[in-house]
PDB file of all heavy atoms in Angstrom:
ATOM      1  N   TRP Y 771       7.944  -5.783 -22.880  1.00 65.00           N
ATOM      2  CA  TRP Y 771       8.467  -4.756 -21.969  1.00 65.00           C
ATOM      3  C   TRP Y 771       7.279  -4.232 -21.184  1.00 65.00           C
ATOM      4  O   TRP Y 771       7.352  -4.070 -19.876  1.00 65.00           O
ATOM      5  CB  TRP Y 771       8.968  -3.614 -22.742  1.00 65.00           C
ATOM      6  CG  TRP Y 771       9.690  -2.458 -21.927  1.00 65.00           C
ATOM      7  CD1 TRP Y 771      10.854  -2.445 -21.340  1.00 65.00           C
ATOM      8  CD2 TRP Y 771       8.919  -1.393 -21.334  1.00 65.00           C
ATOM      9  NE1 TRP Y 771      10.896  -1.259 -20.537  1.00 65.00           N
ATOM     10  CE2 TRP Y 771       9.714  -0.686 -20.518  1.00 65.00           C
ATOM     11  CE3 TRP Y 771       7.564  -0.961 -21.461  1.00 65.00           C
ATOM     12  CZ2 TRP Y 771       9.371   0.483 -19.846  1.00 65.00           C
ATOM     13  CZ3 TRP Y 771       7.135   0.302 -20.794  1.00 65.00           C
ATOM     14  CH2 TRP Y 771       8.113   1.003 -20.100  1.00 65.00           C
ATOM     15  N   ALA Y 772       6.128  -3.991 -21.782  1.00 70.00           N
ATOM     16  CA  ALA Y 772       4.920  -3.417 -21.098  1.00 70.00           C
ATOM     17  C   ALA Y 772       4.408  -4.491 -19.998  1.00 70.00           C
ATOM     18  O   ALA Y 772       4.084  -4.050 -18.816  1.00 70.00           O
ATOM     19  CB  ALA Y 772       3.849  -3.122 -22.062  1.00 70.00           C
ATOM     20  N   ILE Y 773       4.333  -5.654 -20.339  1.00 74.00           N
ATOM     21  CA  ILE Y 773       3.945  -6.720 -19.377  1.00 74.00           C
ATOM     22  C   ILE Y 773       4.884  -6.719 -18.164  1.00 74.00           C
ATOM     23  O   ILE Y 773       4.527  -6.757 -17.042  1.00 74.00           O
ATOM     24  CB  ILE Y 773       3.785  -8.133 -20.057  1.00 74.00           C
ATOM     25  CG1 ILE Y 773       2.539  -8.055 -21.066  1.00 74.00           C
ATOM     26  CG2 ILE Y 773       3.617  -9.215 -18.997  1.00 74.00           C
ATOM     27  CD1 ILE Y 773       2.603  -9.409 -21.953  1.00 74.00           C
ATOM     28  N   GLY Y 774       6.239  -6.809 -18.480  1.00 69.00           N
ATOM     29  CA  GLY Y 774       7.204  -6.888 -17.410  1.00 69.00           C
ATOM     30  C   GLY Y 774       7.291  -5.661 -16.591  1.00 69.00           C
ATOM     31  O   GLY Y 774       7.599  -5.677 -15.398  1.00 69.00           O
ATOM     32  N   ALA Y 775       7.053  -4.483 -17.139  1.00 66.00           N
ATOM     33  CA  ALA Y 775       7.192  -3.170 -16.471  1.00 66.00           C
ATOM     34  C   ALA Y 775       5.985  -2.778 -15.706  1.00 66.00           C
ATOM     35  O   ALA Y 775       5.984  -2.229 -14.649  1.00 66.00           O
ATOM     36  CB  ALA Y 775       7.548  -2.116 -17.418  1.00 66.00           C
ATOM     37  N   VAL Y 776       4.705  -3.094 -16.264  1.00 69.00           N
ATOM     38  CA  VAL Y 776       3.492  -2.614 -15.671  1.00 69.00           C
ATOM     39  C   VAL Y 776       2.668  -3.747 -15.025  1.00 69.00           C
ATOM     40  O   VAL Y 776       2.197  -3.579 -13.884  1.00 69.00           O
ATOM     41  CB  VAL Y 776       2.647  -1.971 -16.847  1.00 69.00           C
ATOM     42  CG1 VAL Y 776       1.361  -1.370 -16.159  1.00 69.00           C
ATOM     43  CG2 VAL Y 776       3.381  -0.815 -17.470  1.00 69.00           C
ATOM     44  N   VAL Y 777       2.428  -4.840 -15.658  1.00 77.00           N
ATOM     45  CA  VAL Y 777       1.611  -5.927 -15.164  1.00 77.00           C
ATOM     46  C   VAL Y 777       2.309  -6.671 -14.039  1.00 77.00           C
ATOM     47  O   VAL Y 777       1.780  -6.887 -12.918  1.00 77.00           O
ATOM     48  CB  VAL Y 777       1.119  -6.809 -16.255  1.00 77.00           C
ATOM     49  CG1 VAL Y 777       0.341  -7.962 -15.664  1.00 77.00           C
ATOM     50  CG2 VAL Y 777       0.410  -6.088 -17.203  1.00 77.00           C
ATOM     51  N   CYS Y 778       3.548  -7.141 -14.300  1.00 77.00           N
ATOM     52  CA  CYS Y 778       4.235  -8.068 -13.355  1.00 77.00           C
ATOM     53  C   CYS Y 778       4.475  -7.516 -11.994  1.00 77.00           C
ATOM     54  O   CYS Y 778       4.572  -8.287 -10.991  1.00 77.00           O
ATOM     55  CB  CYS Y 778       5.496  -8.537 -14.058  1.00 77.00           C
ATOM     56  SG  CYS Y 778       5.296  -9.667 -15.468  1.00 77.00           S
ATOM     57  N   PRO Y 779       4.926  -6.135 -11.863  1.00 78.00           N
ATOM     58  CA  PRO Y 779       5.109  -5.634 -10.477  1.00 78.00           C
ATOM     59  C   PRO Y 779       3.889  -5.853  -9.562  1.00 78.00           C
ATOM     60  O   PRO Y 779       3.991  -6.105  -8.373  1.00 78.00           O
ATOM     61  CB  PRO Y 779       5.443  -4.154 -10.743  1.00 78.00           C
ATOM     62  CG  PRO Y 779       5.943  -4.119 -12.144  1.00 78.00           C
ATOM     63  CD  PRO Y 779       5.211  -5.168 -12.749  1.00 78.00           C
ATOM     64  N   PHE Y 780       2.733  -5.699 -10.206  1.00 78.00           N
ATOM     65  CA  PHE Y 780       1.444  -5.750  -9.267  1.00 78.00           C
ATOM     66  C   PHE Y 780       1.061  -7.229  -9.107  1.00 78.00           C
ATOM     67  O   PHE Y 780       0.773  -7.710  -7.976  1.00 78.00           O
ATOM     68  CB  PHE Y 780       0.350  -5.078  -9.976  1.00 78.00           C
ATOM     69  CG  PHE Y 780       0.604  -3.511 -10.169  1.00 78.00           C
ATOM     70  CD1 PHE Y 780       1.007  -3.075 -11.366  1.00 78.00           C
ATOM     71  CD2 PHE Y 780       0.364  -2.755  -9.065  1.00 78.00           C
ATOM     72  CE1 PHE Y 780       1.385  -1.646 -11.597  1.00 78.00           C
ATOM     73  CE2 PHE Y 780       0.568  -1.382  -9.170  1.00 78.00           C
ATOM     74  CZ  PHE Y 780       1.106  -0.852 -10.407  1.00 78.00           C
ATOM     75  N   THR Y 781       1.172  -8.040 -10.114  1.00 80.00           N
ATOM     76  CA  THR Y 781       0.915  -9.499  -9.908  1.00 80.00           C
ATOM     77  C   THR Y 781       1.889 -10.144  -8.982  1.00 80.00           C
ATOM     78  O   THR Y 781       1.507 -11.093  -8.267  1.00 80.00           O
ATOM     79  CB  THR Y 781       0.713 -10.261 -11.326  1.00 80.00           C
ATOM     80  OG1 THR Y 781       2.051 -10.010 -12.030  1.00 80.00           O
ATOM     81  CG2 THR Y 781      -0.403  -9.558 -12.142  1.00 80.00           C
ATOM     82  N   ASP Y 782       3.138  -9.773  -8.998  1.00 81.00           N
ATOM     83  CA  ASP Y 782       4.171 -10.269  -8.299  1.00 81.00           C
ATOM     84  C   ASP Y 782       3.786 -10.072  -6.776  1.00 81.00           C
ATOM     85  O   ASP Y 782       4.012 -10.972  -5.919  1.00 81.00           O
ATOM     86  CB  ASP Y 782       5.543  -9.678  -8.547  1.00 81.00           C
ATOM     87  CG  ASP Y 782       6.648  -9.963  -7.508  1.00 81.00           C
ATOM     88  OD1 ASP Y 782       7.183 -10.971  -7.560  1.00 81.00           O
ATOM     89  OD2 ASP Y 782       6.862  -9.044  -6.571  1.00 81.00           O
ATOM     90  N   PHE Y 783       3.398  -8.841  -6.384  1.00 83.00           N
ATOM     91  CA  PHE Y 783       3.020  -8.646  -4.990  1.00 83.00           C
ATOM     92  C   PHE Y 783       2.008  -9.452  -4.554  1.00 83.00           C
ATOM     93  O   PHE Y 783       2.162 -10.045  -3.428  1.00 83.00           O
ATOM     94  CB  PHE Y 783       2.657  -7.106  -4.801  1.00 83.00           C
ATOM     95  CG  PHE Y 783       2.290  -6.733  -3.521  1.00 83.00           C
ATOM     96  CD1 PHE Y 783       3.190  -6.554  -2.537  1.00 83.00           C
ATOM     97  CD2 PHE Y 783       0.897  -6.570  -3.193  1.00 83.00           C
ATOM     98  CE1 PHE Y 783       2.841  -6.197  -1.200  1.00 83.00           C
ATOM     99  CE2 PHE Y 783       0.553  -6.217  -1.886  1.00 83.00           C
ATOM    100  CZ  PHE Y 783       1.427  -6.095  -0.813  1.00 83.00           C
ATOM    101  N   PHE Y 784       0.948  -9.621  -5.303  1.00 84.00           N
ATOM    102  CA  PHE Y 784      -0.186 -10.450  -4.903  1.00 84.00           C
ATOM    103  C   PHE Y 784       0.187 -11.976  -4.791  1.00 84.00           C
ATOM    104  O   PHE Y 784      -0.348 -12.726  -4.035  1.00 84.00           O
ATOM    105  CB  PHE Y 784      -1.455 -10.225  -5.709  1.00 84.00           C
ATOM    106  CG  PHE Y 784      -2.172  -8.953  -5.403  1.00 84.00           C
ATOM    107  CD1 PHE Y 784      -1.816  -7.781  -6.174  1.00 84.00           C
ATOM    108  CD2 PHE Y 784      -2.996  -8.859  -4.405  1.00 84.00           C
ATOM    109  CE1 PHE Y 784      -2.413  -6.579  -5.741  1.00 84.00           C
ATOM    110  CE2 PHE Y 784      -3.734  -7.678  -4.107  1.00 84.00           C
ATOM    111  CZ  PHE Y 784      -3.364  -6.507  -4.785  1.00 84.00           C
ATOM    112  N   ALA Y 785       0.992 -12.394  -5.766  1.00 82.00           N
ATOM    113  CA  ALA Y 785       1.517 -13.759  -5.792  1.00 82.00           C
ATOM    114  C   ALA Y 785       2.374 -14.064  -4.574  1.00 82.00           C
ATOM    115  O   ALA Y 785       2.151 -15.157  -3.960  1.00 82.00           O
ATOM    116  CB  ALA Y 785       2.260 -13.998  -7.033  1.00 82.00           C
ATOM    117  N   ARG Y 786       3.234 -13.209  -4.087  1.00 84.00           N
ATOM    118  CA  ARG Y 786       3.982 -13.514  -3.058  1.00 84.00           C
ATOM    119  C   ARG Y 786       3.295 -13.433  -1.709  1.00 84.00           C
ATOM    120  O   ARG Y 786       3.626 -14.156  -0.757  1.00 84.00           O
ATOM    121  CB  ARG Y 786       5.197 -12.319  -2.996  1.00 84.00           C
ATOM    122  CG  ARG Y 786       6.267 -12.651  -3.874  1.00 84.00           C
ATOM    123  CD  ARG Y 786       7.508 -11.724  -3.693  1.00 84.00           C
ATOM    124  NE  ARG Y 786       7.102 -10.345  -3.968  1.00 84.00           N
ATOM    125  CZ  ARG Y 786       7.169  -9.358  -3.122  1.00 84.00           C
ATOM    126  NH1 ARG Y 786       7.464  -9.554  -1.860  1.00 84.00           N
ATOM    127  NH2 ARG Y 786       6.837  -8.122  -3.494  1.00 84.00           N
ATOM    128  N   HIS Y 787       2.256 -12.598  -1.508  1.00 81.00           N
ATOM    129  CA  HIS Y 787       1.589 -12.395  -0.313  1.00 81.00           C
ATOM    130  C   HIS Y 787       0.172 -12.973  -0.247  1.00 81.00           C
ATOM    131  O   HIS Y 787      -0.428 -13.136   0.804  1.00 81.00           O
ATOM    132  CB  HIS Y 787       1.498 -10.988   0.023  1.00 81.00           C
ATOM    133  CG  HIS Y 787       2.911 -10.410   0.277  1.00 81.00           C
ATOM    134  ND1 HIS Y 787       3.707 -10.691   1.426  1.00 81.00           N
ATOM    135  CD2 HIS Y 787       3.650  -9.472  -0.459  1.00 81.00           C
ATOM    136  CE1 HIS Y 787       4.781  -9.976   1.206  1.00 81.00           C
ATOM    137  NE2 HIS Y 787       4.738  -9.330   0.176  1.00 81.00           N
ATOM    138  N   GLY Y 788      -0.394 -13.481  -1.399  1.00 82.00           N
ATOM    139  CA  GLY Y 788      -1.627 -14.141  -1.382  1.00 82.00           C
ATOM    140  C   GLY Y 788      -2.751 -13.308  -0.843  1.00 82.00           C
ATOM    141  O   GLY Y 788      -2.817 -12.137  -1.071  1.00 82.00           O
ATOM    142  N   ARG Y 789      -3.606 -13.936   0.021  1.00 81.00           N
ATOM    143  CA  ARG Y 789      -4.742 -13.236   0.554  1.00 81.00           C
ATOM    144  C   ARG Y 789      -4.349 -12.176   1.589  1.00 81.00           C
ATOM    145  O   ARG Y 789      -5.142 -11.264   1.890  1.00 81.00           O
ATOM    146  CB  ARG Y 789      -5.702 -14.247   1.238  1.00 81.00           C
ATOM    147  CG  ARG Y 789      -6.472 -15.180   0.343  1.00 81.00           C
ATOM    148  CD  ARG Y 789      -7.233 -16.211   1.122  1.00 81.00           C
ATOM    149  NE  ARG Y 789      -6.391 -17.097   1.944  1.00 81.00           N
ATOM    150  CZ  ARG Y 789      -6.846 -18.003   2.704  1.00 81.00           C
ATOM    151  NH1 ARG Y 789      -8.241 -18.174   2.911  1.00 81.00           N
ATOM    152  NH2 ARG Y 789      -6.058 -18.762   3.457  1.00 81.00           N
ATOM    153  N   GLN Y 790      -3.075 -12.228   2.078  1.00 85.00           N
ATOM    154  CA  GLN Y 790      -2.704 -11.199   2.924  1.00 85.00           C
ATOM    155  C   GLN Y 790      -2.298  -9.883   2.289  1.00 85.00           C
ATOM    156  O   GLN Y 790      -2.113  -8.958   2.973  1.00 85.00           O
ATOM    157  CB  GLN Y 790      -1.455 -11.691   3.784  1.00 85.00           C
ATOM    158  CG  GLN Y 790      -1.778 -12.917   4.662  1.00 85.00           C
ATOM    159  CD  GLN Y 790      -0.521 -13.677   5.211  1.00 85.00           C
ATOM    160  OE1 GLN Y 790       0.492 -13.460   4.698  1.00 85.00           O
ATOM    161  NE2 GLN Y 790      -0.767 -14.389   6.337  1.00 85.00           N
ATOM    162  N   ALA Y 791      -2.183  -9.915   0.964  1.00 86.00           N
ATOM    163  CA  ALA Y 791      -1.781  -8.790   0.240  1.00 86.00           C
ATOM    164  C   ALA Y 791      -2.708  -7.524   0.462  1.00 86.00           C
ATOM    165  O   ALA Y 791      -2.194  -6.434   0.613  1.00 86.00           O
ATOM    166  CB  ALA Y 791      -1.621  -9.152  -1.194  1.00 86.00           C
ATOM    167  N   LEU Y 792      -3.977  -7.874   0.403  1.00 88.00           N
ATOM    168  CA  LEU Y 792      -4.911  -6.719   0.647  1.00 88.00           C
ATOM    169  C   LEU Y 792      -4.797  -6.162   2.009  1.00 88.00           C
ATOM    170  O   LEU Y 792      -4.963  -4.868   2.153  1.00 88.00           O
ATOM    171  CB  LEU Y 792      -6.372  -7.205   0.328  1.00 88.00           C
ATOM    172  CG  LEU Y 792      -6.781  -7.529  -1.139  1.00 88.00           C
ATOM    173  CD1 LEU Y 792      -8.127  -8.080  -1.247  1.00 88.00           C
ATOM    174  CD2 LEU Y 792      -6.714  -6.200  -1.986  1.00 88.00           C
ATOM    175  N   TRP Y 793      -4.652  -6.941   2.938  1.00 89.00           N
ATOM    176  CA  TRP Y 793      -4.439  -6.348   4.351  1.00 89.00           C
ATOM    177  C   TRP Y 793      -3.264  -5.583   4.513  1.00 89.00           C
ATOM    178  O   TRP Y 793      -3.150  -4.504   5.129  1.00 89.00           O
ATOM    179  CB  TRP Y 793      -4.519  -7.545   5.431  1.00 89.00           C
ATOM    180  CG  TRP Y 793      -5.861  -8.095   5.696  1.00 89.00           C
ATOM    181  CD1 TRP Y 793      -6.302  -9.299   5.294  1.00 89.00           C
ATOM    182  CD2 TRP Y 793      -7.001  -7.408   6.286  1.00 89.00           C
ATOM    183  NE1 TRP Y 793      -7.683  -9.361   5.659  1.00 89.00           N
ATOM    184  CE2 TRP Y 793      -8.092  -8.253   6.292  1.00 89.00           C
ATOM    185  CE3 TRP Y 793      -7.119  -6.118   6.858  1.00 89.00           C
ATOM    186  CZ2 TRP Y 793      -9.341  -8.001   6.863  1.00 89.00           C
ATOM    187  CZ3 TRP Y 793      -8.314  -5.796   7.371  1.00 89.00           C
ATOM    188  CH2 TRP Y 793      -9.429  -6.707   7.351  1.00 89.00           C
ATOM    189  N   LEU Y 794      -2.148  -6.101   3.804  1.00 89.00           N
ATOM    190  CA  LEU Y 794      -0.929  -5.239   3.736  1.00 89.00           C
ATOM    191  C   LEU Y 794      -1.064  -3.914   3.130  1.00 89.00           C
ATOM    192  O   LEU Y 794      -0.546  -2.839   3.684  1.00 89.00           O
ATOM    193  CB  LEU Y 794       0.256  -6.066   3.102  1.00 89.00           C
ATOM    194  CG  LEU Y 794       0.765  -7.270   3.778  1.00 89.00           C
ATOM    195  CD1 LEU Y 794       1.654  -8.065   2.911  1.00 89.00           C
ATOM    196  CD2 LEU Y 794       1.516  -6.844   5.051  1.00 89.00           C
ATOM    197  N   LEU Y 795      -1.849  -3.867   2.031  1.00 89.00           N
ATOM    198  CA  LEU Y 795      -2.133  -2.576   1.406  1.00 89.00           C
ATOM    199  C   LEU Y 795      -3.012  -1.663   2.188  1.00 89.00           C
ATOM    200  O   LEU Y 795      -2.751  -0.449   2.333  1.00 89.00           O
ATOM    201  CB  LEU Y 795      -2.796  -2.840   0.067  1.00 89.00           C
ATOM    202  CG  LEU Y 795      -1.888  -3.490  -1.015  1.00 89.00           C
ATOM    203  CD1 LEU Y 795      -2.773  -3.700  -2.254  1.00 89.00           C
ATOM    204  CD2 LEU Y 795      -0.709  -2.616  -1.391  1.00 89.00           C
ATOM    205  N   VAL Y 796      -3.955  -2.276   2.978  1.00 91.00           N
ATOM    206  CA  VAL Y 796      -4.704  -1.487   3.916  1.00 91.00           C
ATOM    207  C   VAL Y 796      -3.799  -0.897   5.033  1.00 91.00           C
ATOM    208  O   VAL Y 796      -3.959   0.319   5.360  1.00 91.00           O
ATOM    209  CB  VAL Y 796      -5.846  -2.384   4.570  1.00 91.00           C
ATOM    210  CG1 VAL Y 796      -6.425  -1.638   5.727  1.00 91.00           C
ATOM    211  CG2 VAL Y 796      -6.832  -2.790   3.496  1.00 91.00           C
ATOM    212  N   PHE Y 797      -2.875  -1.669   5.523  1.00 92.00           N
ATOM    213  CA  PHE Y 797      -1.960  -1.210   6.495  1.00 92.00           C
ATOM    214  C   PHE Y 797      -1.113  -0.100   6.019  1.00 92.00           C
ATOM    215  O   PHE Y 797      -0.892   0.888   6.699  1.00 92.00           O
ATOM    216  CB  PHE Y 797      -1.064  -2.388   7.070  1.00 92.00           C
ATOM    217  CG  PHE Y 797      -0.076  -1.909   8.052  1.00 92.00           C
ATOM    218  CD1 PHE Y 797      -0.492  -1.468   9.258  1.00 92.00           C
ATOM    219  CD2 PHE Y 797       1.269  -2.047   7.731  1.00 92.00           C
ATOM    220  CE1 PHE Y 797       0.503  -1.099  10.243  1.00 92.00           C
ATOM    221  CE2 PHE Y 797       2.324  -1.667   8.763  1.00 92.00           C
ATOM    222  CZ  PHE Y 797       1.852  -1.210   9.920  1.00 92.00           C
ATOM    223  N   VAL Y 798      -0.566  -0.218   4.841  1.00 89.00           N
ATOM    224  CA  VAL Y 798       0.280   0.870   4.186  1.00 89.00           C
ATOM    225  C   VAL Y 798      -0.610   2.127   4.204  1.00 89.00           C
ATOM    226  O   VAL Y 798      -0.123   3.274   4.443  1.00 89.00           O
ATOM    227  CB  VAL Y 798       0.666   0.390   2.753  1.00 89.00           C
ATOM    228  CG1 VAL Y 798       1.263   1.648   2.082  1.00 89.00           C
ATOM    229  CG2 VAL Y 798       1.751  -0.674   2.843  1.00 89.00           C
ATOM    230  N   GLY Y 799      -1.863   1.926   3.797  1.00 88.00           N
ATOM    231  CA  GLY Y 799      -2.751   3.161   3.675  1.00 88.00           C
ATOM    232  C   GLY Y 799      -3.174   3.805   5.085  1.00 88.00           C
ATOM    233  O   GLY Y 799      -3.343   5.052   5.032  1.00 88.00           O
ATOM    234  N   VAL Y 800      -3.188   3.083   6.060  1.00 90.00           N
ATOM    235  CA  VAL Y 800      -3.602   3.678   7.310  1.00 90.00           C
ATOM    236  C   VAL Y 800      -2.441   4.004   8.411  1.00 90.00           C
ATOM    237  O   VAL Y 800      -2.674   4.619   9.299  1.00 90.00           O
ATOM    238  CB  VAL Y 800      -4.646   2.739   8.074  1.00 90.00           C
ATOM    239  CG1 VAL Y 800      -5.905   2.468   7.164  1.00 90.00           C
ATOM    240  CG2 VAL Y 800      -4.018   1.379   8.488  1.00 90.00           C
ATOM    241  N   PHE Y 801      -1.252   3.474   8.080  1.00 90.00           N
ATOM    242  CA  PHE Y 801      -0.237   3.652   9.151  1.00 90.00           C
ATOM    243  C   PHE Y 801       0.110   5.183   9.422  1.00 90.00           C
ATOM    244  O   PHE Y 801       0.259   5.442  10.636  1.00 90.00           O
ATOM    245  CB  PHE Y 801       1.015   3.039   8.585  1.00 90.00           C
ATOM    246  CG  PHE Y 801       2.226   2.956   9.729  1.00 90.00           C
ATOM    247  CD1 PHE Y 801       2.166   2.127  10.632  1.00 90.00           C
ATOM    248  CD2 PHE Y 801       3.144   3.957   9.686  1.00 90.00           C
ATOM    249  CE1 PHE Y 801       3.237   2.076  11.575  1.00 90.00           C
ATOM    250  CE2 PHE Y 801       4.178   4.032  10.481  1.00 90.00           C
ATOM    251  CZ  PHE Y 801       4.241   3.003  11.545  1.00 90.00           C
ATOM    252  N   ARG Y 802       0.176   6.007   8.464  1.00 86.00           N
ATOM    253  CA  ARG Y 802       0.373   7.458   8.677  1.00 86.00           C
ATOM    254  C   ARG Y 802      -0.913   8.267   8.755  1.00 86.00           C
ATOM    255  O   ARG Y 802      -0.803   9.528   8.658  1.00 86.00           O
ATOM    256  CB  ARG Y 802       1.260   7.924   7.600  1.00 86.00           C
ATOM    257  CG  ARG Y 802       2.644   7.243   7.472  1.00 86.00           C
ATOM    258  CD  ARG Y 802       3.502   7.560   8.706  1.00 86.00           C
ATOM    259  NE  ARG Y 802       3.629   9.045   8.910  1.00 86.00           N
ATOM    260  CZ  ARG Y 802       4.487   9.836   8.266  1.00 86.00           C
ATOM    261  NH1 ARG Y 802       5.321   9.452   7.432  1.00 86.00           N
ATOM    262  NH2 ARG Y 802       4.544  11.108   8.602  1.00 86.00           N
ATOM    263  N   ILE Y 803      -2.067   7.669   8.745  1.00 87.00           N
ATOM    264  CA  ILE Y 803      -3.287   8.467   8.631  1.00 87.00           C
ATOM    265  C   ILE Y 803      -3.523   9.396   9.756  1.00 87.00           C
ATOM    266  O   ILE Y 803      -4.058  10.444   9.629  1.00 87.00           O
ATOM    267  CB  ILE Y 803      -4.558   7.415   8.358  1.00 87.00           C
ATOM    268  CG1 ILE Y 803      -5.592   8.202   7.744  1.00 87.00           C
ATOM    269  CG2 ILE Y 803      -4.834   6.726   9.693  1.00 87.00           C
ATOM    270  CD1 ILE Y 803      -6.793   7.288   7.277  1.00 87.00           C
ATOM    271  N   SER Y 804      -3.136   8.867  10.974  1.00 87.00           N
ATOM    272  CA  SER Y 804      -3.302   9.681  12.068  1.00 87.00           C
ATOM    273  C   SER Y 804      -2.598  11.018  12.129  1.00 87.00           C
ATOM    274  O   SER Y 804      -3.177  12.055  12.384  1.00 87.00           O
ATOM    275  CB  SER Y 804      -2.939   8.886  13.354  1.00 87.00           C
ATOM    276  OG  SER Y 804      -3.131   9.578  14.629  1.00 87.00           O
ATOM    277  N   ASP Y 805      -1.257  10.928  11.859  1.00 83.00           N
ATOM    278  CA  ASP Y 805      -0.587  12.227  11.941  1.00 83.00           C
ATOM    279  C   ASP Y 805      -0.688  13.045  10.613  1.00 83.00           C
ATOM    280  O   ASP Y 805      -0.666  14.173  10.716  1.00 83.00           O
ATOM    281  CB  ASP Y 805       0.936  11.990  12.168  1.00 83.00           C
ATOM    282  CG  ASP Y 805       1.660  11.064  11.061  1.00 83.00           C
ATOM    283  OD1 ASP Y 805       1.062   9.841  11.033  1.00 83.00           O
ATOM    284  OD2 ASP Y 805       2.482  11.408  10.382  1.00 83.00           O
ATOM    285  N   LEU Y 806      -1.027  12.464   9.509  1.00 78.00           N
ATOM    286  CA  LEU Y 806      -1.344  13.186   8.305  1.00 78.00           C
ATOM    287  C   LEU Y 806      -2.574  13.939   8.324  1.00 78.00           C
ATOM    288  O   LEU Y 806      -2.782  14.960   7.923  1.00 78.00           O
ATOM    289  CB  LEU Y 806      -1.192  12.366   7.044  1.00 78.00           C
ATOM    290  CG  LEU Y 806       0.105  11.844   6.666  1.00 78.00           C
ATOM    291  CD1 LEU Y 806       0.063  10.940   5.484  1.00 78.00           C
ATOM    292  CD2 LEU Y 806       1.067  12.947   6.299  1.00 78.00           C
ATOM    293  N   ALA Y 807      -3.653  13.211   9.039  1.00 78.00           N
ATOM    294  CA  ALA Y 807      -4.955  13.846   9.130  1.00 78.00           C
ATOM    295  C   ALA Y 807      -4.902  15.083  10.007  1.00 78.00           C
ATOM    296  O   ALA Y 807      -5.851  16.076   9.650  1.00 78.00           O
ATOM    297  CB  ALA Y 807      -5.920  12.797   9.648  1.00 78.00           C
ATOM    298  N   MET Y 808      -4.146  15.181  10.940  1.00 78.00           N
ATOM    299  CA  MET Y 808      -4.103  16.294  11.902  1.00 78.00           C
ATOM    300  C   MET Y 808      -3.148  17.431  11.437  1.00 78.00           C
ATOM    301  O   MET Y 808      -3.208  18.599  11.941  1.00 78.00           O
ATOM    302  CB  MET Y 808      -3.747  15.904  13.335  1.00 78.00           C
ATOM    303  CG  MET Y 808      -2.393  15.147  13.389  1.00 78.00           C
ATOM    304  SD  MET Y 808      -0.860  16.207  13.321  1.00 78.00           S
ATOM    305  CE  MET Y 808      -1.089  17.235  14.818  1.00 78.00           C
ATOM    306  N   ALA Y 809      -2.374  17.184  10.439  1.00 70.00           N
ATOM    307  CA  ALA Y 809      -1.229  18.144  10.037  1.00 70.00           C
ATOM    308  C   ALA Y 809      -1.769  19.457   9.716  1.00 70.00           C
ATOM    309  O   ALA Y 809      -1.179  20.508   9.939  1.00 70.00           O
ATOM    310  CB  ALA Y 809      -0.423  17.489   8.920  1.00 70.00           C
ATOM    311  N   SER Y 810      -2.841  19.465   8.925  1.00 64.00           N
ATOM    312  CA  SER Y 810      -3.498  20.818   8.442  1.00 64.00           C
ATOM    313  C   SER Y 810      -3.871  21.788   9.628  1.00 64.00           C
ATOM    314  O   SER Y 810      -3.977  23.009   9.234  1.00 64.00           O
ATOM    315  CB  SER Y 810      -4.561  20.521   7.426  1.00 64.00           C
ATOM    316  OG  SER Y 810      -5.666  19.909   8.172  1.00 64.00           O
ATOM    317  N   MET Y 811      -4.154  21.160  10.740  1.00 76.00           N
ATOM    318  CA  MET Y 811      -4.696  22.012  11.850  1.00 76.00           C
ATOM    319  C   MET Y 811      -3.600  22.368  12.926  1.00 76.00           C
ATOM    320  O   MET Y 811      -3.996  23.008  13.863  1.00 76.00           O
ATOM    321  CB  MET Y 811      -5.827  21.247  12.471  1.00 76.00           C
ATOM    322  CG  MET Y 811      -7.099  21.268  11.614  1.00 76.00           C
ATOM    323  SD  MET Y 811      -7.881  22.978  11.356  1.00 76.00           S
ATOM    324  CE  MET Y 811      -7.304  23.121   9.611  1.00 76.00           C
ATOM    325  N   ALA Y 812      -2.412  21.939  12.740  1.00 77.00           N
ATOM    326  CA  ALA Y 812      -1.347  22.207  13.781  1.00 77.00           C
ATOM    327  C   ALA Y 812      -1.116  23.619  13.905  1.00 77.00           C
ATOM    328  O   ALA Y 812      -1.130  24.261  14.896  1.00 77.00           O
ATOM    329  CB  ALA Y 812      -0.168  21.378  13.452  1.00 77.00           C
ATOM    330  N   ASN Y 813      -0.775  24.278  12.600  1.00 70.00           N
ATOM    331  CA  ASN Y 813      -0.330  25.713  12.695  1.00 70.00           C
ATOM    332  C   ASN Y 813      -1.487  26.562  13.075  1.00 70.00           C
ATOM    333  O   ASN Y 813      -1.294  27.543  13.804  1.00 70.00           O
ATOM    334  CB  ASN Y 813       0.197  26.139  11.300  1.00 70.00           C
ATOM    335  CG  ASN Y 813       1.693  25.645  11.161  1.00 70.00           C
ATOM    336  OD1 ASN Y 813       2.345  25.651  12.207  1.00 70.00           O
ATOM    337  ND2 ASN Y 813       2.206  25.559   9.994  1.00 70.00           N
ATOM    338  N   PRO Y 814      -2.762  26.353  12.542  1.00 73.00           N
ATOM    339  CA  PRO Y 814      -3.901  27.079  13.078  1.00 73.00           C
ATOM    340  C   PRO Y 814      -4.015  27.027  14.552  1.00 73.00           C
ATOM    341  O   PRO Y 814      -4.523  28.090  15.178  1.00 73.00           O
ATOM    342  CB  PRO Y 814      -5.074  26.544  12.265  1.00 73.00           C
ATOM    343  CG  PRO Y 814      -4.470  25.965  11.019  1.00 73.00           C
ATOM    344  CD  PRO Y 814      -3.191  25.522  11.389  1.00 73.00           C
TER     345      PRO Y 814
END
């Protein structure tokens, strides 16, 4: 259960996307960075 629930979800993603997986994760991390970074200063 632990292998199927914890290990496999992560290895599955990298197995499906190969070397492109890291770039996809970078994209996920930066897509909203512009509007989230400015959010704290809008009301001020």
Side-chain angles (χ1 to χ4, degrees):
W771 183 89
I773 293 170
V776 180
V777 177
C778 291
F780 298 99
T781 57
D782 166 81
F783 177 75
F784 284 93
R786 284 188 293 117
H787 297 290
R789 289 177 298 177
Q790 297 169 335
L792 287 176
W793 286 110
L794 288 171
L795 291 176
V796 170
F797 178 62
V798 171
V800 302
F801 185 80
R802 297 293 307 277
I803 199 169
S804 179
D805 56 297
L806 288 175
M808 57 74 65
S810 63
M811 288 296 104
N813 279 335

